[in-house]
């Protein structure tokens, strides 16, 4: 949504103020807040349909890679009994064949300026990433004025075959875009024009969590109008051809992962999926952030992922084409939770993870229930539990995605270890 904000935030500083909103449908009694599960990109707050702020891009820099003729599979690194020493020795070495794809369905990768390494990784591994979604740092995009824009970065990705689909978060009060037809039409036109003018290939829209916070989803009429807004935006984008490809402009919609057996009004369910499917190109499913400081544990237990997919694809009209439209969320960040001082802690990036491994040389444990690695360490008498992806945990989830026929979405590639890209 630390890294993770689903905002997916920059670690380990606190999330921006807009992330601290009431929990939405995906929040469970554990206190995990859905608003933290999705990243934030071109934020548009409609106040008279004006937008404030600027979209800033990180300064250009070059990420160098250590390469090896062998992939992580050929090097025998994808396994349960992995050690801290092995990760420290191997995490920065990637296969020199960066064009080989192990995962054949589409892959959507988010990049953020607060982990700007992701911008370089998007270019270096563009052959493995079909869609790239740049995310802003909380500044609000001026859609009706001049603003910073890295045309060269966008163009290079597109020339390599990736589609660039910026993240747009709809923060407007629902009455503005759902009840006022002229304002709704103008909002859609602004977004379509932005894609056309800047040469984007479409957008990723985040609005469900805001609608949940405003109570929209509890009102049948407002809920219907909300879904109609998404459909109309998708149809408007589909009416325009992309400048970089022969395809129409794309619309991807961010959705929460179901947390309870019985769906509530605020959950995105199979009927919603069917209603939007014909007008959209995919759904970015937030299957991460399962645990939080108040309930330390794994980021994305496999059974929860399976439950989410089973729930969303339970409608009798579901098909393999709908499975492919779901971009199963994979986290490239982790969490360092406090265990012996009440609660606390938060998200960490790969750099943080490597630092902890080097400092404490812990023994990594495999959790047979969640199918994730973790380790325990103590610092000044305070015990910590660290959950961070490993090649094995990623491989398990990619296999699950392949079994279901889904696509992938990664939050976010600037937070991962270099050799994670070998499994894609």
């Amino acid at each position: 949504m630390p890294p993770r904000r689903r905002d997916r935030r920059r670690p380990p500083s606190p999330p921006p103020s807009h992330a601290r909103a009431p929990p939405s449908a995906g929040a469970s009694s554990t206190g995990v807040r859905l608003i933290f599960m999705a990243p934030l990109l071109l934020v548009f707050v409609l106040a008279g349909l004006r937008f404030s702020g600027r979209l800033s891009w990180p300064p250009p820099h070059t990420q160098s890679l250590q390469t090896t003729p062998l992939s992580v599979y050929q090097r025998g690194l994808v396994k349960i009994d992995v050690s801290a020493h092995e990760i420290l020795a191997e995490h920065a070495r990637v296969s020199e064949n960066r064009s080989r794809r192990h995962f054949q369905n589409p892959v959507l990768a988010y990049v953020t300026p607060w982990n700007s390494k992701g911008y370089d990784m998007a270019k270096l591994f563009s052959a493995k990433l079909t869609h790239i979604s740049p995310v802003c740092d909380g500044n609000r995009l001026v859609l009706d004025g001049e603003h910073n824009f890295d045309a060269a970065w966008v163009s290079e990705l597109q020339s390599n075959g990736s589609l660039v689909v910026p993240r747009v978060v709809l923060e407007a009060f629902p009455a503005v875009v759902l009840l006022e037809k002229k304002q709704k039409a103008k909002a859609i036109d602004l977004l379509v024009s932005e894609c056309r003018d800047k040469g984007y290939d479409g957008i990723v829209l985040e609005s469900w969590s805001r609608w949940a916070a405003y109570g929209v989803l509890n009102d049948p009429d407002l809920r219907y109008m909300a879904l109609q807004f998404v459909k109309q935006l998708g149809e408007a984008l589909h009416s325009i051809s992309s400048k970089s490809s022969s395809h129409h402009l794309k619309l991807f919609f961010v959705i929460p992962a179901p947390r309870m057996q019985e769906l509530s009004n605020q959950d995105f369910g199979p009927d919603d999926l069917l209603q939007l499917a014909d007008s959209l190109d995919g759904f970015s499913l937030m299957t991460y952030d399962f645990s939080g400081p108040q309930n330390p544990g794994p980021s994305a237990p496999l059974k929860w992922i399976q439950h989410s997919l089973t729930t969303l694809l339970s409608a009798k009209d579901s098909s393999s084409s709908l499975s492919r439209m779901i971009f199963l969320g994979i986290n490239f960040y982790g969490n360092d939770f406090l265990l012996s001082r009440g609660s606390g802690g938060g998200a960490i990036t790969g750099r943080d993870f490597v630092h902890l491994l080097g400092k404490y040389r812990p023994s990594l444990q495999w959790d047979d229930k969640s199918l994730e690695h973790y380790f325990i360490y103590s610092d000044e008498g305070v015990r910590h539990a660290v959950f961070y992806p490993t090649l094995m945990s990623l491989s398990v989830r990619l296999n699950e995605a392949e079994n279901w026929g889904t696509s992938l979405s990664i939050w976010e590639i600037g937070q991962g270890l270099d050799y994670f890209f070998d499994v894609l």
Side-chain angles (χ1 to χ4, degrees), residues 120-141:
D120 288 324
M121 303 307 274
K123 293 190 296 183
L124 290 168
F125 293 96
S126 58
K128 295 174 178 281
L129 309 172
T130 58
H131 303 76
I132 310 294
S133 186
V135 175
C136 79
D137 61 0
N139 293 330
R140 293 173 183 169
L141 178 66

Side-chain angles (χ1 to χ4, degrees), residues 36-37 52 117 160 287 329 357 384:
F36 284 166
M37 292 192 218
S52 61
K117 174 183 175 180
N160 291 338
T287 37
L357 292 181
H384 295 241

Side-chain angles (χ1 to χ4, degrees), residues 135 147 207 212 253 269 277 287 299 365 398:
V135 175
H147 52 278
S207 60
F253 191 52
T287 37
S299 301
Q365 306 297 316
L398 265 62

Side-chain angles (χ1 to χ4, degrees), residues 78-93:
V78 185
K79 57 187 180 181
I80 289 177
D81 58 336
V82 65
S83 68
H85 173 79
E86 190 171 71
I87 295 174
L88 290 170
E90 298 287 347
H91 73 88
R93 301 173 65 216

Side-chain angles (χ1 to χ4, degrees), residues 55 204 283 324 349:
L55 176 63
V204 177
F283 299 87
R324 188 180 173 91
T349 66

Side-chain angles (χ1 to χ4, degrees), residues 33-322:
R33 295 171 66 179
L34 178 63
I35 191 74
F36 284 166
M37 292 192 218
L40 169 42
L41 175 65
L42 313 167
V43 175
F44 75 90
V45 178
L46 293 170
L49 283 176
R50 280 195 60 82
F51 303 84
S52 61
R54 301 175 76 83
L55 176 63
S56 60
W57 300 75
H61 65 289
T62 301
Q63 171 73 28
S64 60
L65 290 176
Q66 299 178 34
T67 60
T68 173
L70 304 178
S71 72
V72 291
Y73 294 102
Q74 294 167 321
R75 285 144 62 193
L77 301 178
V78 185
K79 57 187 180 181
I80 289 177
D81 58 336
V82 65
S83 68
H85 173 79
E86 190 171 71
I87 295 174
L88 290 170
E90 298 287 347
H91 73 88
R93 301 173 65 216
V94 303
S95 171
E96 61 189 21
N97 184 357
R98 300 200 305 273
S99 62
R100 180 181 180 184
R101 294 188 63 187
H102 295 282
F103 187 84
Q104 299 303 316
N105 280 357
V107 178
L108 167 66
Y110 294 101
V111 296
T112 65
W114 50 87
N115 288 302
S116 57
K117 174 183 175 180
Y119 287 85
D120 288 324
M121 303 307 274
K123 293 190 296 183
L124 290 168
F125 293 96
S126 58
K128 295 174 178 281
L129 309 172
T130 58
H131 303 76
I132 310 294
S133 186
V135 175
C136 79
D137 61 0
N139 293 330
R140 293 173 183 169
L141 178 66
V142 181
L143 291 179
D144 58 351
E146 293 298 320
H147 52 278
N148 296 332
F149 165 65
D150 192 339
W153 182 79
V154 172
S155 178
E156 182 174 350
L157 289 174
Q158 291 172 333
S159 66
N160 291 338
S162 297
L163 302 183
V164 179
V165 286
R167 185 86 176 185
V168 177
V169 174
L170 174 58
E171 296 268 6
F173 190 73
V176 177
V177 290
L178 301 184
L179 300 179
E180 300 178 27
K181 292 183 179 180
K182 290 184 178 179
Q183 296 289 65
K184 177 170 64 176
K186 187 173 183 180
I188 291 174
D189 183 63
L190 283 172
L191 290 171
V192 173
S193 297
E194 183 70 10
C195 291
R196 184 173 51 220
D197 296 344
K198 296 298 182 293
Y200 295 134
D201 299 292
I203 62 171
V204 177
L205 176 67
E206 151 59 19
S207 60
W208 196 263
S209 60
R210 302 310 302 150
W211 288 337
Y214 284 126
V216 168
L217 304 177
N218 291 323
D219 183 305
D221 293 333
L222 284 177
R223 185 190 183 99
Y224 174 79
M225 285 188 280
L227 292 173
Q228 287 301 303
F229 171 79
V230 178
K231 286 175 66 71
Q232 290 170 27
L233 175 58
E235 291 162 1
L237 288 167
H238 287 179
S239 70
I240 305 296
S241 296
S242 168
K243 293 180 179 179
S244 70
S245 70
S246 59
H247 304 291
H248 56 62
L249 296 181
K250 309 287 186 181
L251 176 60
F252 300 90
F253 191 52
V254 177
I255 59 175
R259 288 181 172 270
M260 308 299 289
Q261 289 297 123
E262 297 295 328
L263 295 179
S264 70
N265 291 336
Q266 295 187 350
D267 283 316
F268 186 93
D271 292 339
D272 302 312
L273 186 73
L274 289 176
Q275 186 171 344
L276 295 180
D278 290 342
S279 305
L280 272 65
D281 300 278
F283 299 87
S284 183
L285 177 62
M286 296 181 292
T287 37
Y288 36 72
D289 273 6
F290 181 81
S291 303
Q294 303 298 324
N295 61 313
S299 301
L302 189 65
K303 288 185 178 180
W304 176 52
I305 291 175
Q306 294 168 337
H307 166 68
S308 299
L309 294 174
T310 299
T311 301
L312 287 171
L313 296 173
S314 63
K316 62 180 180 180
D317 295 327
S318 295
S319 63
S320 58
S321 61
L322 281 180

